[in-house]
Amino acid sequence: MTDSAAAPVDVVQQFLRWYAPRVDKLNQLPLVPAAYSEDSTDVYAVDFKAADSYLATLRGSGYVSTAYIAARRAGFQQWADTLRLHPQYDGPPPGFDHDPIIFSQDSDELLELLRATPRLLRQTADSAQVVLPQQNYAQTPRTGLALDLSRHDMRWQIDKIRPVFAD
């Protein structure tokens, strides 16, 4: 759980340290079971039981807000709707082809982000934005991650994570 006195930069680092030992287990949840099936006639669909398990694990960390969980749940619904409108039977399912926390297919990038020094871009009494710079530009066009945080019951929680790209 989060330290109620932790600053936004500290919360970001604590979250990544919490996430690192769980990344493989979370990313192995069968969010789109047919994508792992040998049967090429299985149409892709989001398994909301697996999605709820994924979201419950994140929520249980204490590092992400209700707004973050709601946005991720809406994202799962949007991907489910897309798969229903445009049936898919093979290849990576849209929206599920990368780690949704670090926006990468390469788990080694998490190690790089763990070594990065977060920068506080802005902070008010109830909101903050932290950027985690990424130095290894050869591996990805992304130059880091931006995290929006808000204060809930005297502690900071992550509301949004998004990739940052070079200008």
Side-chain angles (χ1 to χ4, degrees):
M1 284 302 249
T2 61
D3 173 5
S4 62
V9 167
D10 298 328
V11 169
V12 168
Q13 290 177 313
Q14 291 167 9
F15 172 66
L16 288 177
R17 285 194 299 269
W18 172 88
Y19 184 64
R22 294 164 179 84
V23 65
D24 290 335
K25 182 178 179 187
L26 283 168
N27 287 333
Q28 290 173 2
L29 285 170
L31 297 171
V32 181
Y36 306 102
S37 173
E38 296 292 321
D39 185 353
S40 64
T41 63
D42 284 347
V43 67
Y44 287 6
V46 174
D47 179 340
F48 279 96
K49 184 177 179 183
D52 287 343
S53 177
Y54 179 90
L55 295 173
T57 300
L58 290 178
R59 184 177 32 253
S61 74
Y63 293 106
V64 297
S65 69
T66 302
Y68 180 86
I69 297 298
R72 292 301 309 276
R73 184 95 165 78
F76 287 133
Q77 186 61 58
Q78 182 179 15
W79 293 323
D81 294 345
T82 298
L83 288 170
R84 225 179 343 272
L85 288 171
H86 307 284
Q88 185 175 342
Y89 301 89
D90 64 353
F96 296 90
D97 58 347
H98 63 277
D99 181 292
I101 301 292
I102 63 170
F103 293 88
S104 175
Q105 294 176 338
D106 185 355
S107 61
D108 287 342
E109 289 188 37
L110 178 56
L111 299 174
E112 185 179 339
L113 290 166
L114 283 164
R115 290 189 297 265
T117 302
R119 291 189 341 255
L120 182 65
L121 288 188
R122 66 170 174 74
Q123 182 174 349
T124 66
D126 294 320
S127 69
Q129 186 174 62
V130 174
V131 170
L132 273 165
Q134 187 174 17
Q135 302 304 315
N136 191 0
Y137 304 127
Q139 296 294 322
T140 178
R142 188 181 74 244
T143 61
L145 297 177
L147 296 92
D148 295 335
L149 296 91
S150 58
R151 191 184 298 266
H152 301 272
D153 297 325
M154 302 301 293
R155 69 175 196 239
W156 291 98
Q157 290 185 315
I158 298 165
D159 291 327
K160 187 174 187 177
I161 304 171
R162 64 186 179 286
V164 175
F165 297 97
D167 294 333

